[in-house]
Amino acid sequence: MIRVGVNGYGVIGRRVADAVSAQQDMKLIGVTKVKPDYKARMALEKKYPLYAATESSVKDFAKNSMEVSGTIEDLLKQVDVIVDASPDDVGAKNKEKYVETVGRAIFQGGESPGVAEVSFVAQCNFEKARGAKFIRVVSCNTTALCRALHTIDENFGIERARAVIARRGADPDETSKGPIDAVVLDPAEIPSHHAGDVNTVLPDIKLVSMALKVPTTHMHLHTLIASLRDRSVTENQVIDAFEEATRIMVIEGHSGFKSTAQVIDLAREMGRPRNDLYEAVIWKDSIRIVEGEVHFYMGVHQEAIVVPENVDAIRAIIGKESGKSSISSTNSSLGILK
Ligand code: NAD
């Protein structure tokens, strides 16, 4: 059993903890919380051993009659891998603790690439990450872009690509960031950081990305255009490639998927926990080839898409299993159909 700890129990950390618990080859040793709030209480109800993320918060848990098993330092002594799911740029500050103790950690996309040896998307570069000590699972948008562009590039070759990303204004429980009543250039400069981030995983893809924030909490929506090396490719071949690729779900607008709201509704109907969609979602009817360029829309459930990548990153760090085998175990444990 791979002994795993999760440091930071917010949007991503809670989902990663549940996903780790669902793996047959992993044991969740504990999670950390800064504050003794309802999320901490729910962790205890799930029988997840709870640790204080900081020494100073130990007394706050005691005051609220919540039993902690120790601090992050105690958790680090017991694990083979720590998954850092703390806020943007906090992971890099936590790294020193990991270097001195467990020596193997996974960071999230809010950290700079330099925090780890490898930036990771399982179906793109698992083998490169195998045996690394520090892996960065890239952001939700970068994960989706890598899955889609890698699929096209492997099958048909990409000359260059462009992406316009409509980003959700905030996560559903992030009341401090929303609501916004505007379309916010995020940033005004082109390209946005996403293109460079894709290159940390897929260095050869020529991509220009642009990003806007819009008033929604459900999902991001990407508009993608890729110039193909093979000019004879048909739309059906592109559809087949996406349908075969792992962690890409192909949906049809004329079946009722008029917006991201229906996509999230599908996840509810599928009985996914927290209506999580781990797949990048591509609208089949949007796939059009015009003069050798493929165009399509892709939805990204920001809260969920990186969860399977974190599970695979744990196996990559341990280094015993192949990418194919890890992806298959993760998919079946999370109900990802292919
Ligand atoms: P979050 O704010 O929901 O959760 C972070 C948690 O870490 C909070 O519970 C916070 O109290 C805790 N924390 C604060 N300081 C800490 C410390 N020093 N040590 C340990 N924990 C600490 O954030 P999130 O949305 O889960 O984001 C976590 C990481 O995942 C970020 O790098 C983010 O960029 C990335 N990410 C977020 C999303 C998303 O849509 N929310 C998607 C993909 C990747």
Side-chain angles (χ1 to χ4, degrees), residues 7-291:
N7 191 21
Y9 197 64
V11 171
I12 302 300
R14 280 181 283 166
R15 288 169 166 83
V16 170
D18 289 354
V20 165
S21 302
Q23 306 308 308
Q24 292 190 343
D25 57 342
M26 296 182 194
K27 183 167 168 53
L28 182 71
I29 303 298
V31 302
T32 74
K33 273 289 294 161
V34 177
K35 289 187 204 135
D37 59 9
Y38 72 93
K39 297 172 199 168
R41 198 161 299 283
M42 286 305 297
L44 288 171
E45 282 192 18
K46 289 182 180 185
K47 310 271 183 252
Y48 295 167
L50 185 63
Y51 292 77
T54 60
E55 188 69 51
S56 58
S57 55
V58 173
K59 58 181 181 315
D60 296 332
F61 286 98
K63 255 190 250 161
N64 284 273
S65 316
M66 277 191 219
E67 198 182 325
V68 290
S69 307
T71 63
I72 174 67
E73 279 74 19
D74 299 308
L75 177 61
L76 289 173
K77 284 181 198 148
Q78 305 169 63
V79 299
D80 301 311
V81 182
I82 186 84
V83 178
D84 187 290
S86 63
D88 292 2
D89 300 321
V90 175
K93 294 185 189 124
N94 288 337
K95 185 175 174 182
E96 204 176 313
K97 274 187 224 160
Y98 308 152
V99 171
E100 287 164 2
T101 52
V102 55
R104 292 191 278 211
I106 290 159
F107 297 95
Q108 307 303 316
E111 305 302 321
S112 305
V115 76
E117 297 144 75
V118 190
S119 287
F120 180 80
V121 174
Q123 68 212 74
C124 301
N125 66 349
F126 188 100
E127 296 309 324
K128 187 177 172 209
R130 214 162 149 178
K133 297 213 175 312
F134 298 99
I135 294 179
R136 169 180 169 260
V137 169
V138 291
S139 74
C140 45
N141 283 308
T142 305
T143 299
L145 287 167
C146 287
R147 286 185 193 166
L149 294 174
H150 181 67
T151 301
I152 302 174
D153 197 41
E154 288 273 286
N155 283 278
F156 317 112
I158 290 182
E159 246 163 34
R160 65 198 170 96
R162 281 146 289 173
V164 180
I165 303 172
R167 305 180 66 184
R168 57 89 179 97
D171 286 337
D173 73 341
E174 223 173 1
T175 46
S176 59
K177 281 198 189 167
I180 53 171
D181 180 17
V183 177
V184 182
L185 309 185
D186 188 33
E189 298 85 42
I190 294 173
S192 65
H193 74 277
H194 304 95
D197 207 23
V198 164
N199 289 145
T200 64
V201 180
L202 303 172
D204 298 330
I205 298 282
K206 287 187 194 147
L207 172 68
V208 176
S209 61
M210 301 167 233
L212 315 158
K213 254 193 236 171
V214 295
T216 181
T217 62
H218 283 309
M219 294 179 87
H220 307 298
L221 187 86
H222 295 201
T223 307
L224 271 146
I225 304 171
S227 307
L228 304 173
R229 286 223 174 88
D230 179 351
R231 309 280 288 191
S232 68
V233 176
T234 64
E235 284 153 9
N236 280 338
Q237 283 176 293
V238 175
I239 292 166
D240 288 349
F242 284 146
E243 277 180 341
E244 258 180 45
T246 188
R247 297 178 185 167
I248 291 181
M249 182 187 280
V250 178
I251 59 165
E252 296 188 57
H254 71 251
S255 302
F257 295 106
K258 305 275 181 231
S259 75
T260 51
Q262 286 85 38
V263 179
I264 289 294
D265 191 46
L266 170 72
R268 289 193 195 101
E269 285 300 300
M270 290 169 81
R272 289 280 180 88
R274 306 184 177 92
N275 57 248
D276 280 350
L277 267 180
Y278 307 111
E279 300 89 339
V281 179
I282 293 178
W283 270 261
K284 185 174 177 177
D285 357 25
S286 71
I287 297 172
R288 278 287 164 275
I289 296 184
V290 182
E291 294 179 8

